[in-house]
Amino acid sequence: MVRCERVILLDLEMSSDQGVEQMMWKTVFHQMVELIRKQLAEDRTEETRFMLHNILDEVG
């Protein structure tokens, strides 16, 4: 992750051409959202669903 940040800060044009910011977003946020969605689908307890919905609301 630090490498992506360095690329963005050192060469904005190249990072834009290579989609570094999108790659970083997908790595950090998209994978976490997908993990939470999977847990919501698998875990039917109300307490867990409430907790995961709160997490999604905080980041959304």
Side-chain angles (χ1 to χ4, degrees):
M1 197 52 53
V2 174
R3 289 181 184 165
C4 292
E5 183 180 355
R6 287 178 51 205
V7 169
I8 291 171
L9 294 174
L10 292 173
D11 193 339
L12 185 58
E13 185 176 341
M14 193 275 291
S15 68
S16 179
D17 291 343
Q18 298 296 317
V20 174
E21 187 176 355
Q22 292 83 3
M23 179 182 58
M24 213 167 111
W25 185 91
K26 186 174 182 179
T27 300
V28 174
F29 297 106
H30 181 72
Q31 290 178 359
M32 183 57 70
V33 169
E34 289 303 313
L35 176 67
I36 291 171
R37 284 181 179 162
K38 181 180 177 192
Q39 288 176 343
L40 279 171
E42 292 174 353
D43 193 335
R44 298 293 181 193
T45 64
E46 193 61 34
E47 180 182 350
T48 300
R49 292 180 62 80
F50 180 76
M51 180 188 67
L52 292 172
H53 277 289
N54 282 340
I55 291 170
L56 288 175
D57 286 343
E58 286 179 16
V59 298

